[in-house]
Amino acid sequence: MTKIILSVLCLAVVQTSIRGSQKHTRMLLEEYSLEDIVNKLNNLTSRVEKCEAVIKHGPVAFKAHLTKSVSPGANERIFFDDVRLNLGGAYHAHLGGFVTPYNGTYLFSVSVCSTSGHYIVLDLMRNSDVIGRILAGDTQYDDCSSETTVAELRAGDDVFVQHHLNTGDYIHYQQHTVNSFTGTLLQTM
């Protein structure tokens, strides 16, 4: 008996839903032209495809350390050679940089140290554009500094760290200091 009552209730809900759907369809057609509805449908389809792309790509993040002291030349690229994390495989230690796999918003951070009596200025680069700058050093003390930035990038952009012109002369490595380059994809566009 309970099954019969549930079946009748379900049938009533379905019939009401169909009647409501027909009423809603008539209201929709009265309010919008067919062209407007097609445009809205195309817009929604595009939005769903973008969401699917975000879901499909998986995480993109990297962290690499510098394993030695360096006295770089003018505009020399800094190779952070000890890769600790490389989700998505977009950081290339042999190139000293990160190649963006997707259009999107990315977060990057660079930490660098110099020893007393020395200093160093580094640029965080996107292709040939500076997107961040780091100054570390002091006349009397060992000094570390960092730069964190957010950038909107296109797939294929090359992001790397280089010596700023010929400003400063020494990146200091010790076991208790970490010179690092990190990045992650925050969202795709």
Side-chain angles (χ1 to χ4, degrees):
M1 184 63 149
T2 305
K3 287 183 180 182
I4 294 173
I5 293 172
L6 285 174
S7 296
V8 169
L9 283 174
C10 286
L11 183 59
V13 167
V14 167
Q15 285 178 342
T16 304
S17 175
I18 290 172
R19 273 190 231 116
S21 176
Q22 289 171 344
K23 181 180 174 187
H24 187 273
T25 301
R26 266 186 258 124
M27 287 175 43
L28 188 63
L29 287 172
E30 289 170 7
E31 188 173 336
Y32 298 103
S33 71
L34 183 58
E35 183 180 342
D36 289 340
I37 293 170
V38 169
N39 287 338
K40 287 183 180 293
L41 182 58
N42 287 338
N43 185 353
L44 285 172
T45 301
S46 175
R47 289 172 57 192
V48 166
E49 287 170 352
K50 287 180 182 177
C51 288
E52 287 174 341
V54 169
I55 292 168
K56 288 179 187 176
H57 72 65
V60 176
F62 74 94
K63 181 175 185 176
H65 294 175
L66 191 63
T67 60
K68 60 188 175 294
S69 294
V70 178
S71 293
N75 298 320
E76 183 178 328
R77 191 179 282 222
I78 309 302
F79 289 82
F80 292 85
D81 55 325
D82 182 17
V83 181
R84 299 293 180 100
L85 176 70
N86 197 8
L87 300 176
Y91 181 76
H92 305 281
H94 64 285
L95 299 175
F98 173 77
V99 178
T100 56
Y102 307 104
N103 294 344
T105 306
Y106 290 80
L107 174 81
F108 295 100
S109 182
V110 178
S111 296
V112 65
C113 300
S114 196
T115 192
S116 64
H118 296 274
Y119 72 101
I120 192 73
V121 179
L122 300 176
D123 291 329
L124 178 58
M125 305 293 293
R126 175 193 59 222
N127 303 321
S128 61
D129 299 322
V130 176
I131 59 173
R133 183 163 290 146
I134 307 95
L135 164 65
D138 189 85
T139 56
Q140 298 179 11
Y141 304 101
D142 290 354
D143 181 55
C144 297
S145 186
S146 64
E147 163 74 8
T148 300
T149 192
V150 175
E152 208 170 274
L153 304 173
R154 295 272 170 229
D157 281 346
D158 185 19
V159 180
F160 57 95
V161 178
Q162 76 176 19
H163 188 199
H164 174 72
L165 302 171
N166 204 19
T167 311
D169 64 345
Y170 191 66
I171 300 173
H172 183 58
Y173 168 80
Q174 282 185 335
Q175 280 188 306
H176 67 276
T177 63
V178 177
N179 298 297
S180 65
F181 179 27
T182 62
T184 189
L185 171 62
L186 298 176
Q187 67 181 18
T188 58
M189 296 188 302

